[in-house]
């Protein structure tokens, strides 16, 4: 009995390692080649497993792709693992979210490359899969953060929380894409790091640009 249990544990460990090897290889191939340019045979070869193992763990190429996107999304999100951002005010929470999100993007450029490829793709089915199966949960949690700020009286009730969330995420994505260009602009002083940019961004989003007049 002990030998069988040890053998079963070893099989489970090997299976888990095989899944991670497949996922790791798939991340690289999908990011470099895109969905249609990547084959399961290529992924299997890089993962050093047989193609049947991919079907065993993920069911299909689409299932594997969805697993890759979900894993990357979790790595990029400041709210990954169900954790929350602890700060006394909504302003500071959004600043922290913007900064951590941007730092994660620079730490995982392959993930961002893959998501940007999907955003520009013409495949409506994969875009629906990306929205509903991958991104919607984290986006909803960011929207909820804004709603909590509204409930606390920190953000105007007339503001659409989803628009504010899109503005924050979009500004992060554009900064990620163009930082190497911004560094050469005379008027830009925030391109070296993400903290100053994130602080200024959250301040503009929350207070606006117009001077208050009596």
């Amino acid at each position: 009995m002990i030998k069988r249990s040890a053998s079963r544990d070893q099989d489970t460990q090997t299976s888990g390692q095989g899944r991670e090897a497949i996922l790791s290889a798939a991340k690289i191939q999908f990011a470099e080649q895109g969905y249609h340019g990547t084959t399961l045979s290529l992924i299997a070869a890089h993962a050093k497993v047989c193609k049947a193992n991919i079907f065993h763990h993920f069911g299909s190429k689409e299932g594997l792709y969805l697993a890759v996107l979900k894993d990357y999304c979790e790595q990029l999100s400041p709210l990954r693992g169900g954790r929350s951002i602890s700060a006394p005010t909504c302003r500071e929470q959004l600043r922290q979210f913007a900064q951590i999100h941007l730092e994660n993007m620079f730490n995982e450029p392959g993930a961002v490359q893959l998501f940007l490829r999907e955003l520009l793709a013409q495949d409506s089915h994969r875009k629906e899969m990306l929205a509903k199966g991958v991104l919607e949960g984290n986006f909803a949690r960011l929207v909820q953060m804004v709603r909590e700020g509204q409930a606390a009286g920190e953000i105007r009730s007339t503001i659409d929380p989803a628009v504010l969330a899109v503005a924050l995420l979009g500004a992060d994505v554009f900064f990620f894409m163009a930082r190497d260009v911004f560094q050469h602009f005379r008027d830009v002083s925030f391109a070296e790091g993400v903290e100053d940019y994130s602080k200024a961004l959250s301040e503009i989003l929350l207070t606006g640009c117009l001077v208050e007049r009596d």
Side-chain angles (χ1 to χ4, degrees), residues 50-74:
C50 65
K51 194 159 64 172
N53 281 355
I54 298 178
F55 289 106
H56 170 72
H57 288 292
F58 301 99
S60 64
K61 179 181 178 180
E62 186 173 279
L64 173 57
Y65 191 61
L66 185 61
V68 167
L69 292 175
K70 284 181 176 179
D71 194 71
Y72 265 151
C73 184
E74 184 72 5

Side-chain angles (χ1 to χ4, degrees), residues 79 90 93-94 97 141-149:
L79 305 174
C90 181
Q93 288 174 7
L94 289 178
F97 183 99
R141 287 156 70 190
L142 176 56
V143 169
Q144 181 60 30
M145 188 186 300
V146 177
R147 286 179 176 151
E148 290 171 0

Side-chain angles (χ1 to χ4, degrees), residues 66 69-70 72-74 76 115 118-119 127-141 169:
L66 185 61
L69 292 175
K70 284 181 176 179
Y72 265 151
C73 184
E74 184 72 5
L76 291 176
F115 281 117
E118 283 304 303
L119 292 176
K127 284 188 176 181
E128 181 179 0
M129 180 178 72
L130 178 67
K132 294 182 177 180
V134 180
L135 299 177
E136 190 171 35
N138 282 320
F139 182 77
R141 287 156 70 190
L169 295 172

Side-chain angles (χ1 to χ4, degrees), residues 139 142-143 146 160-173 205:
F139 182 77
L142 176 56
V143 169
V146 177
D160 186 330
V163 172
L164 179 54
V166 167
L168 188 153
L169 295 172
D172 271 0
V173 170
L205 290 177

Side-chain angles (χ1 to χ4, degrees), residues 11-172:
D11 289 343
T12 301
Q13 183 179 5
T14 301
S15 177
Q17 291 173 344
R19 186 185 188 281
E20 290 305 311
I22 293 169
L23 199 58
S24 179
K27 284 180 178 181
I28 296 173
Q29 297 306 314
F30 281 132
E32 292 180 352
Q33 309 296 332
Y35 181 81
H36 292 296
T38 299
T39 65
L40 294 184
S41 296
L42 185 62
I43 293 172
H46 281 272
K48 297 181 180 179
V49 301
C50 65
K51 194 159 64 172
N53 281 355
I54 298 178
F55 289 106
H56 170 72
H57 288 292
F58 301 99
S60 64
K61 179 181 178 180
E62 186 173 279
L64 173 57
Y65 191 61
L66 185 61
V68 167
L69 292 175
K70 284 181 176 179
D71 194 71
Y72 265 151
C73 184
E74 184 72 5
Q75 291 180 46
L76 291 176
S77 174
L79 305 174
R80 60 187 175 186
R83 74 182 184 187
S84 59
I85 293 178
S86 58
T89 65
C90 181
R91 174 177 299 184
E92 182 59 19
Q93 288 174 7
L94 289 178
R95 187 202 67 76
Q96 287 184 18
F97 183 99
Q99 180 177 337
I100 297 172
H101 178 246
L102 199 52
E103 288 173 348
N104 290 346
M105 290 175 70
F106 281 111
N107 289 333
E108 293 288 347
V112 183
Q113 180 182 353
L114 188 56
F115 281 117
L116 290 176
R117 188 191 295 272
E118 283 304 303
L119 292 176
L120 297 174
Q122 301 300 314
D123 190 325
S124 58
H125 170 68
R126 288 214 321 277
K127 284 188 176 181
E128 181 179 0
M129 180 178 72
L130 178 67
K132 294 182 177 180
V134 180
L135 299 177
E136 190 171 35
N138 282 320
F139 182 77
R141 287 156 70 190
L142 176 56
V143 169
Q144 181 60 30
M145 188 186 300
V146 177
R147 286 179 176 151
E148 290 171 0
Q150 290 176 315
E154 295 183 56
I155 299 177
R156 294 201 312 270
S157 60
T158 55
I159 295 295
D160 186 330
V163 172
L164 179 54
V166 167
L168 188 153
L169 295 172
D172 271 0

